[in-house]
Amino acid sequence: MTNGDGRTGAQKAVGASIASKLNFSGNTVLVVGGSSGIGNGIAQGFRACGATVHVWGTRPSADDYRGIDGSDLGGLSYTQVDVSSANAIAAAPLPGGPINVLVQSQGAVRYRRQEFEMDGWQEVIDINLSSIMQIAMRCEDAIKAAGGSMIIVSSVGAFTGLHGNPAYAASKAGAVSLVKTFAKAWAADGVRVNGLAPSLVDTKMTKVTMDNPERRARSLAEIPLNRFGTIEEMAGVALFLASPLAGYVTGQTVIADGGMTC
């Protein structure tokens, strides 16, 4: 028997069940790198779905992000943490209590071949890779207490060589490997670990390409969908991975690149 909208009772029940699994009310979420860009979109996505969301960023206070394109800290709890420093990570306050979802979206890149110099190399590796390990271990007990989920944001650069950014490419490849390692290490504790690998999304980190017509056109030509991804689309993948809809998914990095790496 169908209802007034043409759907059966069973179909409506399935739809309601799916919608309920994207409700994060009562959940505590920590988004590292959640002050701008993809991380900020993910943070606001969880907030819109009912979660209490804490973010770590680099500026002294949330007010320092006012007027910054791609940054919305409204309704989020903010803490300044220099994730390039192991001491800063160790000293940073955690939300308190179990952490249902930990998103690691911190990232750095250095252009003009700075990553071929050891100072530039080390800076990017510290932020993009070493901090992931340190933060995961810092939050381990809180995630396990919740039987929660960790999501690591990497990049399609993990799967392809990058002409001018060896540290960025290597760090993102390492992040993909950490997804698999933590997924195996924490599975017995009921914790799922997955990753998200975007291609070009218009954020402050990609301005060097987005604001250069030639580079932008060259990059766009490599994407079968013929457009760049959006922050909202990346947030959607993260919400799915953290939700019960992905309850049997762990150790995977979802490539969201419009077909670029097909």
Side-chain angles (χ1 to χ4, degrees):
M1 179 180 296
T2 63
N3 293 282
D5 61 2
R7 293 184 297 162
T8 66
Q11 288 171 332
K12 281 193 170 184
V14 169
S17 175
I18 290 174
S20 71
K21 289 175 180 176
L22 287 172
N23 181 354
F24 288 89
S25 297
N27 282 210
T28 297
V29 178
L30 172 60
V31 183
V32 181
S35 54
S36 63
I38 291 172
N40 188 243
I42 291 172
Q44 287 294 354
F46 277 108
R47 176 176 173 256
C49 289
T52 298
V53 184
H54 303 257
V55 303
W56 286 4
T58 58
R59 298 187 179 219
S61 71
D63 287 340
D64 291 300
Y65 287 94
R66 293 187 186 279
I68 303 296
D69 185 37
S71 181
D72 176 11
L73 294 176
L76 308 176
S77 177
Y78 177 81
T79 302
Q80 180 192 27
V81 183
D82 176 7
V83 298
S84 69
S85 165
N87 290 335
I89 292 171
L94 295 180
I99 295 175
N100 300 93
V101 184
L102 169 64
V103 180
Q104 300 219 47
S105 186
Q106 63 271 37
V109 64
R110 296 294 175 260
Y111 297 108
R112 298 181 180 177
R113 300 183 69 83
Q114 292 181 64
E115 293 179 14
F116 286 90
E117 303 294 333
M118 288 311 300
D119 286 348
W121 165 274
Q122 195 61 57
E123 179 187 11
V124 172
I125 292 295
D126 286 346
I127 294 171
N128 291 6
L129 184 59
S130 297
S131 73
I132 292 175
M133 182 68 183
Q134 293 159 4
I135 292 166
M137 299 312 298
R138 177 82 201 284
C139 297
E140 178 181 13
D141 290 345
I143 296 172
K144 288 182 177 180
S149 173
M150 179 166 70
I151 298 169
I152 298 173
V153 180
S154 58
S155 165
V156 291
F159 306 98
T160 61
L162 296 178
H163 177 73
N165 299 99
Y168 185 84
S171 65
K172 295 303 183 180
V176 171
S177 182
L178 283 180
V179 166
K180 296 179 180 294
T181 298
F182 275 111
K184 288 186 175 182
W186 288 355
D189 296 291
V191 176
R192 295 185 302 106
V193 181
N194 290 293
L196 163 62
S199 59
L200 280 172
V201 175
D202 193 357
T203 67
K204 67 178 183 180
M205 187 178 288
T206 62
K207 290 299 183 185
V208 68
T209 295
M210 294 298 180
D211 292 348
N212 183 309
E214 290 183 6
R215 292 182 62 150
R216 183 184 176 96
R218 191 162 58 244
S219 297
L220 190 60
E222 297 177 354
I223 302 174
L225 285 183
N226 197 37
R227 66 176 179 83
F228 298 112
T230 69
I231 289 174
E232 182 181 27
E233 288 169 329
M234 302 307 118
V237 176
L239 287 165
F240 162 72
L241 289 173
S243 78
L245 293 171
Y248 201 55
V249 180
T250 194
Q252 307 304 310
T253 293
V254 175
I255 299 174
D257 68 351
M260 189 175 77
T261 55
C262 286

